Amino acid sequence: MGGGAGVSIPGTFRIASGRTVFATPETLIGFHPDAGASFYLSHLPGHLGEYLALTGEKLNPAEMMACGLATHYSLSERLPLIEEALGKLVTDDPSVIEACLEKYCDIVHPDQMSVVHRIEILDKCFSLDTVEEIIDSLEREAAETNDAWCSSTLRRLKEASPLSLKVSLRSVRYEKVDLRPLIKAWSVNTECHYKGYLSKFLVIFVREFVHEWWRRTLPQR
């Protein structure tokens, strides 16, 4: 959870056990997901990252496997065996490590009530531009469908710090921005600087990067 996830998620191999829990609960204490959370949350399927960042809801091991936060699942009782087996390896070859882990890991699937099975309605609500629009959308869905998930999600959002919700949403959306146009524009700028064609850089920068920036981040309120 929180910073613990921040130091674990960058790993090539991420083993979830029966006792593993993932969450970014910072909005509930008036803070926002940090330690790299905005980056890896932005790369989760659909708008699951925004949902987790804003609500602080927990994911179990099966859900972590389903969305890619974990790469392997193992029963808690097997963890000492995995540690022992890895300790005997004399290589850092990922394929060898993968083969070692496969001997002790299991296949697991989320249950039918899991949030990963609600990705359609989740995307519908959490793809909106502002926290206010997200809450309004959830309220409409709750009124029309009497869906318990919508109601519980609304309660979580209303328990959180409003400022934290806005900062968290913006940070995840910021990480979704494709920086390749900026990198391309920067390289063109370097070339143009020596040739005296800075105007060429400005045209490319405005056309390829600035428009994308304003289209994807939150509006100033």
Side-chain angles (χ1 to χ4, degrees):
M1 300 176 75
V7 299
S8 303
I9 297 301
T12 303
F13 303 101
R14 303 178 296 278
I15 304 171
S17 73
R19 295 193 295 266
T20 303
V21 175
F22 172 88
T24 52
E26 286 84 353
T27 59
L28 301 176
I29 59 172
F31 197 49
H32 62 87
D34 62 346
S38 60
F39 176 79
Y40 62 76
L41 289 176
S42 71
H43 289 74
L44 295 182
H47 294 274
L48 180 61
E50 286 94 325
Y51 165 78
L52 295 174
L54 270 59
T55 64
E57 285 287 3
K58 300 174 183 177
L59 294 184
N60 61 37
E63 292 168 331
M64 292 177 65
M65 286 290 294
C67 70
L69 285 170
T71 59
H72 297 79
Y73 170 78
S74 174
L75 297 175
S76 300
E77 296 77 10
R78 294 182 182 173
L79 292 180
L81 298 176
I82 295 176
E83 185 176 356
E84 181 181 359
L86 291 175
K88 293 178 180 178
L89 296 180
V90 290
T91 178
D92 59 359
D93 185 337
S95 63
V96 176
I97 299 173
E98 175 72 26
C100 178
L101 292 175
E102 290 295 335
K103 296 177 182 178
Y104 301 96
C105 292
D106 302 285
I107 297 175
V108 64
H109 301 285
D111 62 50
Q112 290 302 312
M113 298 303 294
S114 170
V115 67
V116 300
H117 294 304
R118 295 178 176 273
I119 200 70
E120 183 176 348
I121 188 172
L122 185 153
D123 281 352
K124 178 180 179 181
C125 298
F126 283 85
S127 64
L128 298 174
D129 291 334
T130 67
V131 174
E132 292 87 349
E133 289 175 314
I134 290 172
I135 291 176
D136 288 344
S137 179
L138 285 167
E139 288 177 339
R140 286 194 300 272
E141 291 292 333
E144 294 173 3
T145 65
N146 198 29
D147 190 328
W149 178 83
C150 291
S151 299
S152 65
T153 301
L154 276 169
R155 284 195 297 271
R156 297 283 292 189
L157 292 175
K158 292 178 180 180
E159 291 171 355
S161 160
L163 178 59
S164 295
L165 291 175
K166 288 177 175 288
V167 172
S168 299
L169 181 60
R170 182 163 186 174
S171 67
V172 174
R173 293 284 169 80
Y174 174 85
E175 293 293 350
K176 286 180 178 286
V177 174
D178 186 356
L179 294 180
R180 286 174 296 181
L182 176 60
I183 295 171
K184 178 180 178 181
W186 184 263
S187 65
V188 172
N189 178 34
T190 304
E191 177 186 354
C192 293
H193 178 73
Y194 291 105
K195 293 183 177 179
Y197 298 124
L198 289 177
S199 59
K200 180 181 178 183
F201 161 72
L202 294 174
V203 169
I204 293 177
F205 183 88
V206 171
R207 184 180 70 239
E208 297 195 21
F209 183 72
V210 175
H211 172 72
E212 189 75 3
W213 170 277
W214 287 111
R215 187 176 73 83
R216 293 205 181 182
T217 56
L218 297 176
Q220 297 292 328
R221 297 184 67 82

